[in-house]
Each structure stands twice: as C-alpha cells, then as structure tokens.
Amino acid sequence: MKRHLPDETATRELARELLAALPADTTGWIILLEGALGTGKSTFARALIKAMGHVGAVPSPTYTLVEPYELTGHRVYHIDLYRVADEEELRYLGWTELEDGLRLVEWPDRAPGLLAAADLRVRLRYAGAGRDGAIEGLSPRGQALVSEWPANHKT
C-alpha cells in the first residue's frame, strides 16, 4: 500500500487508517517505522498512539529508548533504536518483556533481526515538499492486513 503524503496531516491520517485496519487485539504486533531523520516516523507513531486513546503528550523515546502506554484495551510500546549500537542491546531493553503489547519501532535498521519478527513495515521518504508513505506486510497476518486494506485507501 503506497500513498503520497503532502503534509503532516496526511501522515497522521495514514496512522489513523492503519489503526482502523489493525485487529482489536494488537498484542504481540510489531510495526517497524523506517525513514530518514525528519520524514515523520514520530509523527506517525504519535498519531497512532493518540488514535488508540492516549490523551496528553507523546514524547519521543530518543533518550528513554522505550515509552510505554497503558490504554483502554491496549498496551503500546513506542521504541526508538537510534542510539542502539548493537542488536544485542535489545536484550538489555527487556525486549521479550514487551511482547504483551503493540511495539512501534523507530530506526529498526539498528537491529536487523527485527525484520524477521515484524508484522508491518511503514516506510516514509521525502518526496518534494511532502513524503511518500508505504505500508508493507511482513508476517502472514501483516500481509493479510495489507491485502485486505479497504479498497478506498489503496493507491
């Protein structure tokens, strides 16, 4: 699924559309957020978390590495691996203890092994003044979600 995102509002809307397509129980899902600095990964994550019911600020986990959210019916972990130098560091982050929620992972290229475990990859790239966004299913359930994406949202 690909889409041109002319502005930040379109990026937030794409996140809300993805939430609408996700199952009610997102426990164990891993969504990778890829893109260069400033392409909208945090904007996308914030919009998704707020659409799930979070009220208040959604700080970037750049320094904390993991920001947890307890929402009605959902547990979400916003993870930023920018400062992770080695995939082994995930163990020290308590990665396996985060399986009880949805994991939104920025900078997943810092831990290449995540690709095999992830369900979806959201890629954001510069495209003139806007961005191009693409959502790709990686696991069988992720592939099913993308293939069943509402027809009016496919481009």
Side-chain angles (χ1 to χ4, degrees):
M1 194 290 299
K2 295 179 181 180
R3 167 110 33 95
H4 179 68
L5 308 168
D7 54 28
E8 214 173 281
T9 300
T11 300
R12 289 191 299 266
E13 180 58 29
L14 182 59
R16 288 188 291 268
E17 289 175 21
L18 175 58
L19 177 60
L22 284 168
D25 183 4
T26 56
T27 301
W29 278 71
I30 300 173
I31 300 175
L32 307 179
L33 304 173
E34 296 181 353
L37 193 63
T39 54
K41 297 178 299 294
S42 291
T43 297
F44 188 93
R46 282 184 187 105
L48 190 69
I49 292 165
K50 286 187 174 256
M52 293 177 93
H54 179 72
V55 177
V58 178
S60 173
T62 300
Y63 296 102
T64 59
L65 301 182
V66 178
E67 287 289 335
Y69 297 89
E70 292 288 333
L71 307 170
T72 305
H74 299 280
R75 181 170 287 138
V76 179
Y77 300 101
H78 185 190
I79 303 158
D80 187 325
L81 300 181
Y82 185 75
R83 298 190 182 290
V84 170
D86 184 277
E87 193 162 350
E88 184 64 23
E89 291 180 49
L90 291 180
R91 188 174 59 151
Y92 300 109
L93 285 175
W95 182 257
T96 57
E97 296 170 16
L98 307 179
E99 293 174 348
D100 63 343
L102 167 66
R103 290 174 276 183
L104 299 172
V105 184
E106 294 189 45
W107 300 102
D109 58 309
R110 303 292 202 256
L114 287 181
L115 192 61
D119 296 293
L120 296 170
R121 173 172 32 204
V122 177
R123 289 184 177 168
L124 299 167
R125 292 195 166 87
Y126 287 107
R131 309 289 186 267
D132 282 336
I135 298 177
E136 176 187 3
L138 300 173
S139 69
R141 65 184 178 181
Q143 292 168 354
L145 180 139
V146 171
S147 72
E148 296 167 6
W149 194 273
N152 60 341
H153 292 140
K154 284 188 178 182
T155 56

